[in-house]
Amino acid sequence: KAGVTQTPRYLIKTRGQQVTLSCSPISGHRSVSWYQQTPGQGLQFLFEYFSETQRNKGNFPGRFSGRQFSNSRSEMNVSTLELGDSALYLCASSLVQPSTDTQYFGPGTRLTVL
Amino acid sequence: AQTVTQSQPEMSVQEAETVTLSCTYDTSESDYYLFWYKQPPSRQMILVIRQEAYKQQNATENRFSVNFQKAAKSFSLKISDSQLGDAAMYFCAYRGYGNKLVFGTGTILRVKS
């Protein structure tokens, strides 16, 4: 069974631009969570989607948004990029819901903001 | 809010020997899960082991085992017969009612041949 896939793997943007990252969960998994990883702040939870609904949200500004499609694929969007948004963005999927099922991570998208 | 603390930024172990990575957490919740994830230089986060708080028995996965002390809120990872492929950043993580993973700051494990 294929693992979690994320596209693109690497991205370079300039300040003020917006970006969309994509995540395809493991087949059959319906929950998708997003995390931001930076050297300074470590791993921080962004949000979680289940059945096309956002169920949980971390402490990030409204510039960070996401959505989930009927096939469970998820996208996250960051608008008006800032230098501090440079990070590795990780997506994780779980079978039904993260509360009982293990989350499996994708390889991440490395975003660099210049 | 829940917090996870990994007090060892870096650890080294000789190949074939045993090493223990420490993790403590703080929570007022009674039902939760604890995890150890491994992140090699390739960056793919891999689940190492999982522990349900309601289970008293410590989880074991081949060479990896945990020492879960619920009252002390401690969750250490023991790696036996260390191999070069074990070299990675190890993250301790907590998941409670909020359904989100709360991570520690990580421990870099170096394996010497």
Side-chain angles (χ1 to χ4, degrees):
Chain A
K1 187 182 277 191
V4 179
T5 58
Q6 293 186 245
T7 56
R9 292 292 310 279
Y10 302 91
L11 207 48
I12 299 175
K13 292 286 187 179
T14 56
R15 278 180 299 174
Q17 287 186 311
Q18 74 167 16
V19 67
T20 300
L21 312 181
S22 180
C23 171
S24 292
I26 293 171
S27 178
H29 284 198
R30 294 171 60 192
S31 171
V32 173
S33 299
W34 289 89
Y35 296 85
Q36 181 197 63
Q37 185 176 22
T38 60
Q41 299 298 318
L43 280 150
Q44 293 185 289
F45 172 76
L46 280 156
F47 28 64
E48 181 237 339
Y49 287 87
F50 177 73
S51 291
E52 303 177 63
T53 301
Q54 186 182 88
R55 292 200 302 187
N56 290 288
K57 191 176 190 302
N59 296 324
F60 279 81
R63 300 186 295 107
F64 291 81
S65 63
R67 60 178 175 169
Q68 187 181 33
F69 301 94
S70 57
N71 61 358
S72 295
R73 189 177 70 85
S74 177
E75 289 181 346
M76 68 163 281
N77 183 275
V78 187
S79 62
T80 319
L81 283 166
E82 301 176 0
L83 294 178
D85 297 333
S86 294
L88 181 68
Y89 290 88
L90 295 169
C91 163
S93 75
S94 60
L95 191 60
V96 175
Q97 54 183 328
S99 62
T100 54
D101 302 312
T102 297
Q103 293 182 41
Y104 296 92
F105 284 82
T109 294
R110 168 71 64 186
L111 172 65
T112 301
V113 182
L114 301 176
Chain B
Q2 294 76 33
T3 59
V4 176
T5 302
Q6 293 179 251
S7 58
Q8 305 154 317
E10 191 170 326
M11 293 281 285
S12 291
V13 62
Q14 200 69 33
E15 205 175 357
E17 296 195 340
T18 296
V19 64
T20 299
L21 308 184
S22 301
C23 173
T24 58
Y25 59 95
D26 188 30
T27 185
S28 57
E29 297 172 336
S30 58
D31 192 19
Y32 50 87
Y33 296 79
L34 296 164
F35 304 84
W36 279 97
Y37 279 93
K38 167 186 175 182
Q39 190 177 40
S42 67
R43 294 291 186 176
Q44 181 93 37
M45 190 85 75
I46 302 166
L47 175 70
V48 175
I49 199 164
R50 155 185 163 142
Q51 174 80 44
E52 291 87 346
Y54 64 86
K55 290 187 177 179
Q56 292 186 334
Q57 187 173 6
N58 290 324
T60 299
E61 288 288 342
N62 300 313
R63 298 182 296 108
F64 299 87
S65 62
V66 299
N67 183 4
F68 173 48
Q69 301 290 328
K70 190 172 184 179
K73 295 180 182 173
S74 171
F75 182 61
S76 61
L77 174 70
K78 185 173 83 171
I79 305 175
S80 304
D81 185 26
S82 296
Q83 301 175 359
L84 294 177
D86 295 333
M89 175 80 89
Y90 285 80
F91 290 98
C92 178
Y94 169 99
R95 189 182 71 219
Y97 300 132
N99 294 350
K100 66 178 184 181
L101 285 169
V102 177
F103 288 91
T105 50
T107 297
I108 297 172
L109 178 65
R110 302 191 192 280
V111 181
K112 302 175 182 177
S113 59

